[in-house]
Amino acid sequence: MRNLSVQHGWCLVAVAVRCLAAAFTSKGGALGNGVEFPLGIGFAGVVLAFGLTVLTGAYALGHISGAHFNPAVSFGLWAGKRFPASELLPYIIAQVLGGILGVGIIYLIVTGKAGGYTIDPGAAGVFATNGFGSHSPGGFSLFACFVAEFVLTFMFLIVILGATDDRAFKPLAGTAIGLALTLIHLIGIPVTNTSVNPVRSLAPALFVGGTPLAQVWLFWLAPILGALAAGYLYLNFFEPNRDVRSQEELESSRF
């Protein structure tokens, strides 16, 4: 329960920071209707906010809970036999609750703006939501968005599995993972506003409703399938087999 509580708390912080950055800088610094964020951190700022959140979180909590801020990551690690099936549901529940609470905090902040704050469910990317078709920032089709989310999540899990492999230089794992997510957002924001994390899509969609909520299924399906494919591939093609592991352990014991 201690691990679960820590995971829940950090999911809240991670999703809150991400949605805060994405919402404050969406559409060139406009937050909804008639609300401008004067510091204008822009596209690069949003990208860095996502990457730095995961980078710092990985080092802060990776040794406690595995630093899963993302159901797709949990599924991918399970497929790669790095995470027990018995912990999938508790982790996902914690991630979802943390995400909803995080976005709730953002909503409380933005509604405190003088003159009020309104959310237009018909606008692409409103309140940092993800979407396809007319709700894609670049107007990309459902199929294009599915492919983008599948491939980006697949590559993210390959980086995670590789960077945390026993044969890798683990002290830099968090850096590699955070930089990978930064790169993913550079690529994905024009297409879907970048999900690669089902909870990151669900939480703001619950507050917006309408089309973003109706389209959120894609941002559960594509990332989870991409993560499962990566976990299966890494386990069966990149992980050393039992004989190789035994030989490596024998050789390491000689030094």
Side-chain angles (χ1 to χ4, degrees):
M1 288 300 295
R2 179 171 177 264
N3 281 2
L4 184 58
S5 297
V6 172
Q7 174 67 20
H8 177 274
W10 190 254
C11 280
L12 188 157
V13 175
V15 177
V17 170
R18 292 177 182 186
C19 290
L20 178 66
F24 274 175
T25 57
S26 178
K27 299 291 185 183
L31 179 59
N33 297 327
V35 182
E36 297 292 331
F37 186 61
L39 299 183
I41 65 174
F43 178 75
V46 175
V47 168
L48 287 172
F50 277 86
L52 291 173
T53 297
V54 168
L55 189 155
T56 53
Y59 284 114
L61 295 174
H63 59 289
I64 298 173
S65 67
H68 301 194
F69 315 134
N70 180 341
V73 171
S74 298
F75 272 107
L77 293 177
W78 166 75
K81 297 195 182 300
R82 303 275 192 91
F83 189 68
S86 62
E87 294 189 20
L88 272 175
L89 183 59
Y91 264 59
I92 292 169
I93 291 172
Q95 290 157 351
V96 169
L97 292 176
I100 293 170
L101 287 171
V103 176
I105 291 172
I106 301 304
Y107 186 78
L108 288 175
I109 293 171
V110 299
T111 53
K113 174 71 176 179
Y117 176 77
T118 58
I119 294 176
D120 178 10
V126 64
F127 206 51
T129 51
N130 303 106
F132 54 83
S134 62
H135 282 258
S136 159
F140 289 86
S141 69
L142 187 158
F143 180 73
C145 291
F146 175 88
V147 171
E149 289 292 332
F150 181 97
V151 173
L152 291 173
T153 310
F154 177 91
M155 295 309 301
F156 189 40
L157 264 293
I158 291 294
V159 172
I160 292 172
L161 290 163
T164 57
D165 194 304
D166 289 338
R167 297 164 293 170
F169 185 62
K170 287 189 176 181
L172 288 179
T175 302
I177 293 166
L179 290 175
L181 192 64
T182 302
L183 177 59
I184 283 167
H185 279 78
L186 283 170
I187 298 167
I189 286 177
V191 183
T192 63
N193 218 17
T194 308
S195 174
V196 303
N197 181 343
V199 167
R200 173 262 178 278
S201 300
L202 175 65
L206 289 173
F207 285 80
V208 174
T211 302
L213 184 58
Q215 292 186 352
V216 80
W217 63 268
L218 178 70
F219 303 102
W220 278 79
L221 181 64
I224 289 174
L225 289 179
L228 290 172
Y232 177 84
L233 178 76
Y234 201 95
L235 175 66
N236 289 281
F237 293 94
F238 300 150
E239 287 277 14
N241 61 37
R242 189 173 300 173
D243 293 336
V244 173
R245 282 184 180 274
S246 298
Q247 183 63 28
E248 288 178 346
E249 291 170 359
L250 177 62
E251 290 176 357
S252 65
S253 67
R254 293 173 179 170
F255 294 97

